[in-house]
Amino acid sequence: MSKIRKTLLYYDISEKIKDYIVSEKVQIGSLLPSERDLSKKFNVACITLRKSLECLCAEGILIKIPRKGSRIVALPKTKKTPYGKKRIGISIWLEAGINHPGTLNAIEILGKEFPSDEYEIIIIYISTSMLRNNDWGVLLNNNVDGLLIPVQEIPEYVLRKIQSSKQPAVFINHNNLNSCVWCDEESGMSKLFNYLSSLGHRNIAFVTGQAGLPVTERQVQAFKNCCKTKGLKSSDKYLLTGSYDERSGYQKTLELLNMDTPPSAILLGDDFMALGALKAINEKGLKCPDDISVSCFGGYKISEQLHPSLTVLKSEGAFSSAAKMLKRILESKDLIPEASIILDKELIVRESTGLAKKDRKTQSPG
């Protein structure tokens, strides 16, 4: 009897926490009060309160942040929230934050495709702790009607579990699942290589994002294929694995510039890596593009605002295409997944690429 009562109690407390989140208008991304404060507020033991929080984590409403507390990653469905609206979830990387240009761009597009009078946009945060602990409950037990998932570092088996769950979902930058939107990295890389070759570049380096991601694997294979087609034998030497951040771009570019035969052109995984590359080039006393050319995948506004402005391989319409696909699936009677969409890469030439400089040394001028 006591066991039944205890089960009902922590379930009841989890419902009260949901009501608290809604009534107090606690924002997504905020931390709940401490476990001790919540225990006092709801007049329950800490062990019961923890079970209540575990329930909310399993529902995809909270995630546990070590040494910080419980963070709200989705608003609960309660009697105080409108039932008439469909809830569209989009996963974003917690460490990148809500103000990352990619996140802001995605939310703006979703706002256009899913009007607020019919839909509610729910941000589902994923984090390095989930990757480290292999804990993906926030995605597998979410509380939404449809999912948009930029693949990022999410393991393949998690993506396949989501697909097999029959929940409407569209995956961005993955090419081995139904209902995917991904880019043709091969044709984009070929455009860039043809352009750089026309400028006399033979030593071309590529600093990738995280290894193991589907988009990274496609880009690496495209780079190797283009090197082979152009008769460049040093593709492995000039192929470095980094991560999608400025610091990685800076460090890996320094590695390349310190080689006995440094490259004359560097391609990086995104705009922020390229920003780090420009800092490393400047630190070595070199100039872009006079001494070395820089280009990147991406195309955020920052690429236009840097000096020099960046030559980019840009894919237009990935989030818009994914949002339209998800909307069609939700509106279909049987929620049937769609075939994948392949988008082309556009080469936008700007100031950061120029003629190859022959016999360049890495030493500072003078």
Side-chain angles (χ1 to χ4, degrees):
M1 185 71 179
S2 60
K3 184 177 181 180
I4 295 175
R5 183 178 179 278
K6 191 172 184 180
T7 302
L8 291 174
L9 179 58
Y10 75 71
Y11 175 80
D12 182 54
I13 297 302
S14 69
E15 292 299 307
K16 288 183 178 180
I17 294 173
K18 290 181 187 179
D19 288 340
Y20 164 79
I21 292 171
V22 174
S23 63
E24 297 297 319
K25 298 181 179 179
V26 184
Q27 297 297 309
I28 289 176
S30 301
L31 290 171
L32 283 179
S34 68
E35 290 184 3
R36 178 177 293 182
D37 289 343
L38 287 173
S39 296
K40 290 180 179 179
K41 179 177 180 63
F42 297 113
N43 194 29
V44 292
C46 284
I47 189 170
T48 303
L49 190 280
R50 289 192 192 104
K51 283 185 172 289
S52 302
L53 296 177
E54 288 172 5
C55 287
L56 297 178
C57 287
E59 288 185 45
I61 294 171
L62 302 178
I63 60 171
K64 286 288 189 73
I65 307 294
R67 295 184 297 278
K68 287 189 177 181
S70 299
R71 189 184 299 276
I72 300 169
V73 293
L75 295 177
K77 280 184 178 178
T78 72
K79 58 187 177 182
K80 297 182 181 180
T81 58
Y83 276 107
K85 295 184 181 181
K86 289 185 177 179
R87 294 157 63 92
I88 306 300
I90 176 171
S91 65
I92 72 166
W93 204 243
L94 181 64
E95 283 76 7
I98 193 70
N99 292 319
H100 186 280
T103 304
L104 294 174
N105 179 59
I107 291 174
E108 181 182 354
I109 290 171
L110 293 182
K112 294 176 181 177
E113 298 296 337
F114 296 102
S116 59
D117 58 333
E118 298 178 44
Y119 298 91
E120 184 180 3
I121 306 301
I122 304 297
I123 295 174
I124 301 174
Y125 286 100
I126 56 177
S127 66
T128 51
S129 65
M130 294 166 64
L131 183 64
R132 185 170 56 250
N133 299 324
N134 201 26
D135 178 10
W136 298 97
V138 67
L139 276 179
L140 297 174
N141 303 295
N142 59 72
N143 197 20
V144 296
D145 299 293
L147 272 173
L148 277 173
I149 304 179
V151 171
Q152 299 163 314
E153 289 93 340
I154 303 172
E156 178 89 8
Y157 83 90
V158 176
L159 300 176
R160 295 199 176 277
K161 275 190 175 182
I162 293 170
Q163 187 170 66
S164 64
S165 71
K166 307 301 182 183
Q167 179 178 45
V170 174
F171 306 90
I172 302 171
N173 274 333
H174 198 295
N175 59 330
N176 291 321
L177 297 168
N178 293 327
S179 302
C180 295
V181 176
W182 58 284
C183 299
D184 187 349
E185 312 296 345
E186 188 78 35
S187 68
M189 189 74 75
S190 181
K191 290 177 184 177
L192 179 64
F193 263 70
N194 288 337
Y195 169 64
L196 292 176
S197 295
S198 72
L199 298 175
H201 292 282
R202 298 289 294 170
N203 296 333
I204 302 171
F206 180 28
V207 181
T208 77
Q210 281 91 333
L213 302 185
V215 62
T216 304
E217 291 176 354
R218 293 199 306 271
Q219 290 172 354
V220 167
Q221 189 58 53
F223 175 76
K224 290 181 176 180
N225 291 344
C226 285
C227 286
K228 184 177 180 180
T229 300
K230 295 294 182 181
L232 309 181
K233 299 179 180 180
S234 54
S235 62
D236 290 338
K237 173 182 176 181
Y238 291 134
L239 178 60
L240 301 184
T241 302
S243 57
Y244 291 109
D245 57 70
E246 181 182 331
R247 182 179 180 183
S248 176
Y250 169 81
Q251 292 174 336
K252 296 301 178 180
T253 298
L254 283 181
E255 286 185 35
L256 291 167
L257 296 178
N258 287 328
M259 289 181 174
D260 291 337
T261 306
S264 62
I266 303 176
L267 168 65
L268 297 107
D270 72 3
D271 311 69
F272 296 97
M273 296 177 75
L275 173 58
L278 292 178
K279 289 184 177 181
I281 290 167
N282 182 65
E283 186 176 291
K284 295 290 287 186
L286 301 171
K287 292 183 178 180
C288 174
D290 296 348
D291 297 304
I292 188 164
S293 290
V294 172
S295 56
C296 68
F297 288 96
Y300 296 130
K301 288 184 178 179
I302 186 176
S303 66
E304 304 174 44
Q305 298 165 350
L306 292 174
H307 181 71
S309 57
L310 290 170
T311 292
V312 298
L313 280 169
K314 185 176 183 180
S315 56
E316 286 288 357
F319 269 99
S320 179
S321 298
K324 286 182 171 68
M325 180 185 287
L326 181 59
K327 194 172 184 179
R328 289 194 300 270
I329 294 171
L330 289 171
E331 291 174 350
S332 68
K333 183 177 180 180
D334 300 317
L335 303 178
I336 299 173
E338 294 193 5
S340 295
I341 295 175
I342 305 173
L343 301 176
D344 195 16
K345 288 278 189 183
E346 179 186 5
L347 175 62
I348 302 175
V349 176
R350 298 197 183 106
E351 300 168 340
S352 65
T353 46
L355 293 171
K357 186 173 182 179
K358 304 297 183 182
D359 301 320
R360 180 179 60 78
K361 303 297 182 182
T362 58
Q363 285 80 10
S364 300

